[in-house]
Amino acid sequence: MYNATQKVIKLDDNREIIIETGKLAKQADGAVVVKQGDTMLLATVVAAKDAKPDTDFMPLQVDYKEKYASCGRFPGGFLKREARPGDNEILVARLIDRALRPLFPSDYHAEVFVTVNLISADKDIQADALAGLAASAALAVSDIPFGGPISEVRVARLNGEFVINPTFSQMNDVDLDLMVGGTIDNILMVEGEMKEVSEDVMLEAIKFAHEAIKTHCAAQIELSKELGKDVKRTYCHEENDEELRAKVIAETYDKVYAVATSGSDKHSRSESFEAIEAEFCEQFTEEELEAKATMIKRYFHDDVLKKAMRNMILDEGKRLDGRKLDEIRPIWCEVGYLPAAHGSAIFTRGETQSLTTVTLGTKLDEKQIDEVLVQGSEQFVLHYNFPPFSTGEARPSRGLSRREIGHGHLAWRALKPMVPVGEDNPYAVRVVSDILESNGSSSMATVCAGTLALMDAGVKIKKPVSGIAMGLISEGDKIAVLSDILGDEDHLGDMDFKVTGTRDGITATQMDIKVDGLSYEVLAKALAQAKAGRLHIMDKITETIAEPREDYRPFVPRIVQIVIPGDFIGAVIGPGGKVIQEIQKTTGTTITITEQDQKGIVDIFGVDKDSLDAALSRIKGIVAVPEVGEVYTGKVRSVVAFGAFVEILPGKDALLHISEIDYKRFETMEETGIKEGDTIEVKLIGVDQKTGKYKLSRKVLLEKPEGWVEPTERKGGRGPRRDGGKPRGERKENKE
């Protein structure tokens, strides 16, 4: 059978999180179920016993999967089963990965697979906030070497108060949404979006989140000890030769340091480093190299390249490209570069360049979201592409990487608060950033290029947004905060901290910390330095284009948006969509209707003014309510014995009775001369209160015959008289 063990984590508001192990997936190295309310996550971890030959990195694979059955839903699509991971699942997996990866021993190279499955879903609980805790707990109950435990929590600010792991329903009113990951002692990872909050508010949110993380970690430590899993397996995944290490340092360090301080560009610097390594290897025979190559490569990277760059920065305050610590690389921008695009921009900062486009579409172009817990549509989307040629790599491009999805999501979060949606902007908006050159911070280049392209397209963004990537180098008491980091400074440094925002506050952030003991004072310094850098970049953006163009490009399809009463939505659509399809076909437009608050939001999308006006006129006619006393020019739809039915507005027919056609008396409709298809002028004289049918008159628009007396003015109220009301005798004489 099974022997389950549980740990309960009490939350401040009477909620609790339960960690259970020993019941499910017992053949994995570690497996737990994390439960809050009706939400349950199953996390497993399995590690290979040995590392593959010549592996000198941590081969960690993290997957997060949401099962549709967890909340009683069928997957979409033809196959009706879960297939490749969606963007949301990839983003959650990246959050877990970024917190776990730094804590594996540097010499541990066995393949590790972490899998987190959402197996039961409470529709108001955000499961992604529990995924990091579940993954770490699975490692905690295994014998896999790991420097954790860790946990991740979501912190939001609701009505000025911080809340840990808020529900979906609470998220509508928050102005800060951060995912924070860390150990019991340190913060490891931060990512989220904000509505122009200050640096101080963001720091307070991180501190608040860390207190909850400490509680989660303490529970995992207790669980690990209870199960006897606090002692991990032994391993030996690296061969080391200390004599060879000393030789590599002695013969290459000074040469590498000289290149590092030369201020050369990325490719020249890389070629020089490769030449130094190759020159060192020439002293060995092929047989010796076969045995020593992996160690030489590791020592050259970790003990020479990394230390040379870090020492140069800490001792001389000088960087690889010769800049000062807080100096931003040269920037040049251009808008309108692509004449046929709705909006375009080039943003180049140093050796990083983004060519970004904006495309405007209809509601039919909006991104449809059909996730396990989230359904709906997204009016604004952003896509980020990182082709191999951007770094000079000679390799094929094979689909989207997780990195591209993550970087694009960060840029989307940065711009999202400033892009108008709904009634403020009828267009669907797609931003695409193609990275053409890369040497650090291409996601922040995407934010800047996206701002430029949106303004070039005439999208009325609320404020421009800029972004910057910060770095950190620390050795003991020596600390250097770097603005606008290079790729090598990111790779060899201790922190990658991206911050985006307007002049008035932060809109998004992403932070990965690779060292222990980073103080909040250092974070505060990094944020202040980042703000200065952001504002410098913002000045460069607004020098190029200060505000959105007054109008869209001439070839941008136009949209007219009107609001109609909800009762008329069906009339505009028609039976089986017949009416709206006919309007689109005859006017050459695209029409969408969205029901909202018992109203219909109608978007008419056309290539020119004439087509828009024609479609608008048709729809206004359908939703217009005829008013008594108004004169209409209508088309005779049919003729019957007692009158004619006239279409006074599109889809609205009214009866013109034979007695209301003229002051003359007609016995038959043939005498009136009115035929089907005729266009006549009529006046609406009444509405039947019981049936709602409209009554028309044509004669009231004609000049009255001489001596005409209205029926209400005569005795008995009989039919109309043309004899002025004379006595019957006189009338008889007149007739004769």
Side-chain angles (χ1 to χ4, degrees):
M1 300 301 288
Y2 65 85
N3 183 20
T5 304
Q6 287 189 349
K7 275 292 172 186
V8 179
I9 301 171
K10 295 288 185 181
L11 303 180
D12 293 338
D13 49 2
N14 297 321
R15 296 177 297 167
E16 63 179 24
I17 299 172
I18 300 172
I19 305 174
E20 181 183 80
T21 187
K23 189 172 185 178
L24 301 184
K26 296 190 294 295
Q27 294 190 46
D29 288 329
V32 299
V33 171
V34 171
K35 181 177 180 181
Q36 181 185 338
D38 290 337
T39 290
M40 298 171 68
L41 291 167
L42 169 63
T44 63
V45 57
V46 180
K49 298 302 180 184
D50 295 302
K52 291 182 178 180
D54 298 327
T55 302
D56 61 350
F57 62 95
M58 175 62 214
L60 172 67
Q61 176 71 39
V62 178
D63 288 303
Y64 172 79
K65 194 70 179 176
E66 295 183 343
K67 304 292 186 180
Y68 279 81
S70 65
C71 64
R73 295 187 61 227
F74 272 79
F78 180 76
L79 296 177
K80 298 299 177 187
R81 68 173 297 167
E82 290 86 358
R84 62 177 297 277
D87 286 1
N88 175 65
E89 292 165 316
I90 290 172
L91 292 168
V92 176
R94 278 174 53 84
L95 289 174
I96 300 170
D97 184 298
R98 286 162 46 204
L100 296 182
R101 189 175 293 273
L103 296 180
F104 286 94
S106 60
D107 59 351
Y108 185 75
H109 304 318
E111 290 184 301
V112 178
F113 295 88
V114 176
T115 305
V116 182
N117 288 320
L118 176 64
I119 56 176
S120 178
D122 185 318
K123 293 184 178 180
D124 203 29
I125 292 178
Q126 301 189 79
D128 58 346
L130 302 172
L133 168 62
S136 175
L139 283 163
V141 300
S142 76
D143 64 348
I144 299 170
F146 181 62
I150 64 100
S151 187
E152 294 177 349
V153 299
R154 169 176 275 108
V155 56
R157 191 170 71 162
L158 178 65
N159 300 322
E161 298 291 331
F162 292 123
V163 179
I164 295 295
N165 292 354
T167 62
F168 276 112
S169 54
Q170 290 176 305
M171 294 303 293
N172 295 327
D173 301 317
V174 305
D175 63 355
L176 177 146
D177 174 15
L178 283 181
M179 288 288 287
V180 182
T183 66
I184 201 166
D185 297 314
N186 300 300
I187 295 297
L188 298 170
M189 184 280 303
V190 177
E191 181 165 326
E193 60 188 78
M194 291 143 277
K195 296 179 180 177
E196 297 184 283
V197 306
S198 68
E199 285 75 9
D200 290 341
V201 168
M202 195 180 95
L203 271 178
E204 287 302 314
I206 294 172
K207 292 178 182 178
F208 189 81
H210 196 198
E211 293 305 311
I213 289 169
K214 291 176 182 178
T215 305
H216 295 184
C217 291
Q220 293 177 72
I221 292 170
E222 290 177 12
L223 181 61
S224 181
K225 287 181 178 179
E226 283 182 23
L227 297 172
K229 295 296 184 179
D230 51 331
V231 177
K232 304 300 183 179
R233 70 178 67 165
T234 59
Y235 64 92
C236 181
H237 295 163
E238 281 187 2
E239 288 185 28
N240 283 298
D241 182 336
E242 295 304 323
E243 186 178 336
L244 178 62
R245 187 199 303 266
K247 183 178 179 65
V248 171
I249 296 171
E251 296 183 16
T252 64
Y253 181 86
D254 290 340
K255 297 176 183 178
V256 166
Y257 195 90
V259 172
T261 55
S262 66
S264 56
D265 62 48
K266 174 184 175 181
H267 287 290
S268 299
R269 194 164 55 243
S270 296
E271 289 171 0
S272 298
F273 291 153
E274 289 170 5
I276 293 169
E277 184 179 2
E279 182 185 6
F280 176 82
C281 292
E282 288 176 357
Q283 60 188 287
F284 301 101
T285 65
E286 288 186 11
E287 292 78 10
E288 290 175 324
L289 269 181
E290 189 173 345
K292 301 176 184 290
T294 301
M295 287 185 284
I296 292 172
K297 182 179 179 181
R298 184 168 65 247
Y299 300 151
F300 185 75
H301 179 274
D302 294 345
D303 298 299
V304 178
L305 283 180
K306 187 174 181 178
K307 288 186 177 178
M309 186 207 75
R310 296 167 68 87
N311 290 339
M312 175 184 67
I313 291 171
L314 292 172
D315 296 339
E316 299 185 33
K318 190 176 180 181
R319 300 167 65 176
L320 287 171
D321 56 358
R323 282 182 293 150
K324 298 176 182 177
L325 301 185
D326 61 351
E327 187 177 349
I328 311 299
R329 287 172 288 177
I331 295 171
W332 67 265
C333 315
E334 183 178 338
V335 294
Y337 179 72
L338 303 177
H342 293 172
S344 64
I346 302 171
F347 179 84
T348 307
R349 184 185 55 238
E351 296 171 295
T352 297
Q353 184 178 75
S354 169
L355 172 62
T356 294
T357 58
V358 170
T359 307
L360 305 177
T362 70
K363 276 196 172 296
L364 299 176
D365 297 310
E366 291 184 2
K367 177 184 177 182
Q368 300 303 308
I369 301 172
D370 185 25
E371 298 168 359
V372 173
L373 292 171
V374 179
Q375 296 86 46
S377 62
E378 194 64 61
Q379 187 176 345
F380 166 56
V381 297
L382 187 148
H383 297 137
Y384 165 99
N385 300 313
F386 192 86
F389 67 77
S390 65
T391 55
E393 293 183 74
R395 63 176 177 84
S397 181
R398 294 284 187 258
L400 282 177
S401 67
R402 291 188 170 198
R403 178 182 179 278
E404 286 172 294
I405 292 171
H407 278 41
H409 184 68
L410 175 62
W412 172 78
R413 295 181 106 172
L415 292 170
K416 183 180 67 168
M418 297 299 118
V419 176
V421 294
E423 294 183 9
D424 296 329
N425 175 28
Y427 286 101
V429 181
R430 181 184 184 226
V431 176
V432 179
S433 171
D434 290 299
I435 302 302
L436 306 185
E437 297 179 44
S438 180
N439 186 12
S441 194
S442 57
S443 62
M444 297 298 94
T446 295
V447 172
C448 299
T451 293
L452 290 163
L454 285 164
M455 292 196 288
D456 179 57
V459 176
K460 302 302 184 289
I461 62 172
K462 299 167 188 174
K463 299 173 187 176
V465 182
S466 63
I468 190 171
M470 307 296 294
L472 176 75
I473 306 293
S474 63
E475 291 288 347
D477 295 333
K478 294 182 179 179
I479 292 176
V481 177
L482 312 179
S483 296
D484 181 23
I485 57 174
L486 303 172
D488 286 340
E489 291 171 339
D490 179 6
H491 175 60
L492 301 174
D494 298 325
M495 180 179 73
D496 176 18
F497 192 2
K498 300 181 178 74
V499 188
T500 73
T502 66
R503 293 190 187 277
D504 298 319
I506 300 171
T507 59
T509 189
Q510 183 184 92
M511 177 174 65
D512 294 295
I513 300 174
K514 309 166 192 175
V515 292
D516 294 336
L518 184 64
S519 68
Y520 286 107
E521 289 75 16
V522 174
L523 277 180
K525 179 182 178 183
L527 280 169
Q529 195 167 312
K531 182 177 182 180
R534 275 195 299 112
L535 295 179
H536 169 80
I537 296 168
M538 184 72 75
D539 290 338
K540 296 295 182 181
I541 289 173
T542 53
E543 283 175 14
T544 304
I545 180 170
E547 57 187 20
R549 299 193 188 280
E550 290 186 9
D551 196 7
Y552 305 109
R553 299 276 182 93
F555 51 82
V556 173
R558 301 306 166 111
I559 288 183
V560 173
Q561 188 177 83
I562 60 171
V563 179
I564 64 174
D567 296 342
F568 284 97
I569 294 176
V572 175
I573 295 173
K578 182 179 179 181
V579 173
I580 196 169
Q581 289 173 13
E582 192 271 336
I583 296 174
Q584 291 179 107
K585 183 178 179 181
T586 56
T587 62
T589 58
T590 299
I591 303 170
T592 62
I593 303 178
T594 305
E595 189 172 359
Q596 181 180 320
D597 299 329
Q598 297 182 337
K599 297 182 295 184
I601 310 299
V602 182
D603 290 316
I604 309 170
F605 190 90
V607 295
D608 55 48
K609 187 176 185 297
D610 291 341
S611 62
L612 284 175
D613 289 345
L616 187 60
S617 176
R618 293 283 299 277
I619 293 172
K620 283 185 174 179
I622 293 172
V623 302
V625 178
E627 296 183 19
V628 175
E630 286 292 317
V631 177
Y632 299 94
T633 300
K635 186 176 182 179
V636 178
R637 287 296 185 185
S638 62
V639 177
V640 293
F642 51 85
F645 286 97
V646 182
E647 186 182 49
I648 55 175
L649 289 171
K652 294 180 175 63
D653 293 348
L655 175 64
L656 174 61
H657 194 269
I658 190 171
S659 64
E660 293 293 337
I661 294 175
D662 203 321
Y663 289 99
K664 298 177 184 178
R665 180 179 177 83
F666 297 112
E667 298 295 336
T668 65
M669 284 299 294
E670 286 79 4
E671 296 177 21
T672 67
I674 293 176
K675 303 183 296 299
E676 187 175 318
D678 287 352
T679 299
I680 59 175
E681 199 172 57
V682 291
K683 184 176 183 178
L684 183 61
I685 59 173
V687 182
D688 189 301
Q689 297 300 318
K690 292 182 179 180
T691 64
K693 294 181 178 179
Y694 302 112
K695 300 176 183 179
L696 300 177
S697 176
R698 178 173 175 268
K699 73 181 183 184
V700 296
L701 302 176
L702 304 175
E703 186 177 348
K704 291 181 182 179
E706 186 178 350
W708 174 263
V709 177
E710 295 293 340
T712 54
E713 298 176 10
R714 290 183 284 110
K715 226 175 199 183
R718 294 185 178 180
R721 293 184 42 189
R722 304 172 187 274
D723 52 16
K726 295 179 181 179
R728 285 184 180 274
E730 295 181 25
R731 280 187 279 136
K732 187 176 180 181
E733 292 172 3
N734 289 342
K735 185 177 180 182
E736 294 173 350

